[in-house]
Amino acid sequence: MHDRRDEPAHLFPDRACGEHKRRAPGRLDDVRSGLRQQRRGERPPLLPALDSVHPDTRADTAWAGQNGPVPERSGAQLHTALHPADHRALFQQGRRVHRDMPRHLRGPLLAFWVFHVVRDYAHTLTERGSRHAPRLPGLLAIAEELEAAVGPVEVVFGHNDLLPANFIDDGERIWLIDWDYAGWNSPLFDLANLASNAEFDHAAEEHLLAEYFGRPPDARLWKSYTAMKCASLLRETLWGMVSEITSQLAFDYAAYTADYLARFTRADEARKAVGV
């Protein structure tokens, strides 16, 4: 794997804030170190396997259920019809990633708590005079409700950015790329993040939770999951808002924000309708 920390900072867009700047060390440095040791024969292979990917993906690591080269695909080709009924092994492997990855990493690792991220984005939007600033008090009030509804959580090592475009299906394996947000989190965030971004219906969500937890979801799990799904959509909405005023990429972030704001609004209304 090519360690790019010494190359010019402008080459690496930081999706966490929508700006072009050097990615902060610490997120994946221990993963990279482990890979170097693995290739020198100083340690057994990591579980899950990690390797480099095509530069067009704007990611520098990938995951699959076994060792092997990542298929070279351009960014435009990174898409697959993700449905839990079709990818049972994917979610079983995801559970394994959550629990087994920390056994192979050393040193401090970052945490990703979506409600802290939301509050931080809100500060950025206020400081930079975003056109969305008048919305923020109401959105932050909802975020507090959601955080309380999530309740106590299990902590695992999460991917934390499960967009459909971060999966590559090469016909034999499904690869998970773009680990820039990886860190400690509730497994519910990865599950809710995937379901909300891929727009799973209720039956697909129920299947997803049952496959992951090994049992049908009860009322407590549904409440936590539903709140986390809304939080995932809210974070993506605020990320779009921040990117509107910070990113130099030729992309319609205003439309992106509007799309995710509509998704969040629908999900939050559905949550309130069932009393979560």
Side-chain angles (χ1 to χ4, degrees), residues 171-183:
E172 296 180 4
R173 293 178 298 222
I174 295 176
W175 301 82
L176 177 55
I177 68 168
D178 194 354
W179 289 76
D180 281 355
Y181 288 170

Side-chain angles (χ1 to χ4, degrees), residues 1 8 27 64 72 87 140 143 152 163 189 193 228 239 243 251 265-266 268:
M1 179 177 296
R27 291 176 185 254
E72 291 196 357
H87 295 298
L140 290 174
L163 296 164
F189 183 79
N193 192 226
M228 193 66 88
W239 179 83
S243 297
F251 182 80
T265 300
R266 290 194 299 269
D268 193 53

Side-chain angles (χ1 to χ4, degrees), residues 231-260:
S232 169
L233 289 166
L234 179 58
R235 189 217 68 86
E236 199 69 26
T237 300
L238 267 65
W239 179 83
M241 293 178 181
V242 171
S243 297
E244 285 182 39
I245 57 177
T246 62
S247 179
Q248 299 176 30
L249 299 178
F251 182 80
D252 190 350
Y253 286 107
Y256 187 90
T257 297
D259 176 36
Y260 270 91

Side-chain angles (χ1 to χ4, degrees), residues 24-28 30 107-113 156-158 160 180-185:
R27 291 176 185 254
L28 290 172
D30 291 307
L109 295 170
L110 299 185
F112 185 99
W113 185 238
V156 299
F157 189 83
N160 303 320
D180 281 355
Y181 288 170
W184 301 112
N185 200 354

